[in-house]
Amino acid sequence: MYEGFAYVYDRMMSDIPYDAWFDALRIYLAEHGIEEGTVCELGCGTGSMTERFARAGFHMIGVDLSADMLAAACSRKDAEGLDILYIQQDMEQLELAGPVDAVISVCDTMNYVLEETAMGRVFSRVYRFLKPGGYFIFDLKTVYCYRNVIGSRVFAEQDEDVSYIWDNYYDEDEQINEYALTIFQRQPKSRLYERIDEVHYQRAYSVSTVRELLEQSGLMVAGVLDSSMKEEPKEDSERIYMIAKKREDIDEQ
């Protein structure tokens, strides 16, 4: 996953409102007593969100399964002189050197976890490495988004260097969205293009299912908000935030 996609990921995600997402996350954490400390981002990709938290003074750990994504992230952080620890890991086997104040995950990372049992393992690992009183905040594309906005649609974009075709199919019964992605990337100093084909899968989860899995891991559900992180989700919300907390009275010894 993401082996070819990594090289054009930032270009394809250029319309993602990272600044607005960062502001909403930072404000929420500050309002709940986390204005500094260590934050771990799961599925950090090329580091767009990780870098924003690092610039705000947080000690950042970025975790991703893709070596190509992390190579791009490391190149960016070195160029900007940022102190970020990037780790190549499967979220289901998360292993950190010590507890963190918060764990975040954005841009559909959790939708890539296709089985409830696997999602439960991720939540259990997050629980293990959260400090008591720490928060776990992650977004999810909704069933409405897959069914009514993305499913069975084709998106395409073209410029001189990179073109892509993004074909979607949403299986209502399985609640799985299949992304068939074809990328044409211009080779350096050449008029030739390399074709890259990848298939990605994401799963739509109901809030009730995610809530149950979080509670089974020991985390408390502190809120469910829409993409603004200011209001409760509506029937036509395309993205939601799940907010979980590790109880403060937990004895880690």
Side-chain angles (χ1 to χ4, degrees):
M1 185 182 293
Y2 285 119
E3 290 180 0
F5 194 27
Y7 297 105
V8 295
Y9 180 82
D10 288 331
R11 185 188 296 265
M12 291 181 62
M13 299 294 110
S14 60
D15 61 341
I16 296 295
Y18 284 113
D19 287 335
W21 289 0
F22 165 70
D23 287 340
L25 287 166
R26 180 184 55 80
I27 290 170
Y28 186 93
L29 289 173
E31 289 176 345
H32 293 80
I34 302 176
E35 299 183 76
E36 58 183 6
T38 302
V39 175
C40 174
E41 182 182 4
L42 301 181
C44 63
T46 60
S48 295
M49 185 64 73
T50 325
E51 292 171 3
R52 285 167 169 77
F53 272 90
R55 293 191 198 100
F58 289 88
H59 301 290
M60 292 303 299
I61 303 169
V63 174
D64 204 284
L65 186 59
S66 168
D68 289 337
M69 286 288 195
L70 292 176
C74 287
S75 178
R76 286 171 46 152
K77 69 119 173 178
D78 290 343
E80 298 188 29
L82 296 172
D83 185 14
I84 300 170
L85 173 63
Y86 285 114
I87 305 172
Q88 184 183 8
Q89 279 187 353
D90 186 330
M91 296 185 299
E92 295 178 45
Q93 300 166 352
L94 182 67
E95 192 70 43
L96 302 177
V100 298
D101 297 277
V103 176
I104 61 171
S105 186
V106 298
C107 219
D108 322 330
T109 293
M110 291 298 159
N111 290 111
Y112 277 102
V113 183
L114 302 182
E115 301 291 339
E116 292 180 19
T117 53
M119 185 79 88
R121 286 193 291 270
V122 174
F123 293 166
S124 294
R125 300 307 291 179
V126 169
Y127 176 87
R128 177 174 180 178
F129 290 105
L130 262 185
K131 292 179 181 179
Y135 280 83
F136 176 32
I137 304 176
F138 60 95
D139 71 5
L140 288 166
K141 277 198 178 88
T142 63
V143 172
Y144 175 87
C145 181
Y146 289 113
R147 180 190 294 140
N148 301 95
V149 180
I150 294 177
S152 302
R153 291 187 61 188
V154 178
F155 301 89
E157 188 167 319
Q158 178 179 348
D159 64 27
E160 292 184 358
D161 296 319
V162 175
S163 300
Y164 69 83
I165 303 169
W166 173 16
D167 194 2
N168 295 272
Y169 170 72
Y170 179 59
D171 187 315
E172 185 77 36
D173 294 331
E174 299 293 330
Q175 292 191 310
I176 298 291
N177 193 80
E178 177 183 314
Y179 298 79
L181 184 65
T182 301
I183 302 167
F184 296 91
Q185 181 178 353
R186 187 173 183 176
Q187 299 304 292
K189 301 179 181 179
S190 171
R191 299 179 69 179
L192 300 177
Y193 287 78
E194 177 188 9
R195 174 172 171 162
I196 302 166
D197 290 288
E198 296 190 3
V199 178
H200 298 233
Y201 299 93
Q202 292 186 349
R203 177 174 174 180
Y205 284 91
S206 68
V207 170
S208 60
T209 295
V210 178
R211 181 186 295 272
E212 182 177 354
L213 291 169
L214 285 167
E215 292 173 348
Q216 287 174 357
S217 75
L219 293 164
M220 302 186 303
V221 178
V224 182
L225 298 174
D226 67 5
S227 59
S228 70
M229 293 194 70
K230 295 178 181 178
E231 300 178 354
E232 293 185 358
K234 301 178 178 62
E235 288 186 4
D236 61 350
S237 292
E238 297 178 22
R239 183 181 302 275
I240 62 170
Y241 280 95
M242 299 292 302
I243 302 168
K245 182 180 180 182
K246 187 170 181 177
R247 292 204 322 270
E248 298 181 37
D249 58 352
I250 296 294
D251 183 357
E252 294 189 305
Q253 299 182 2

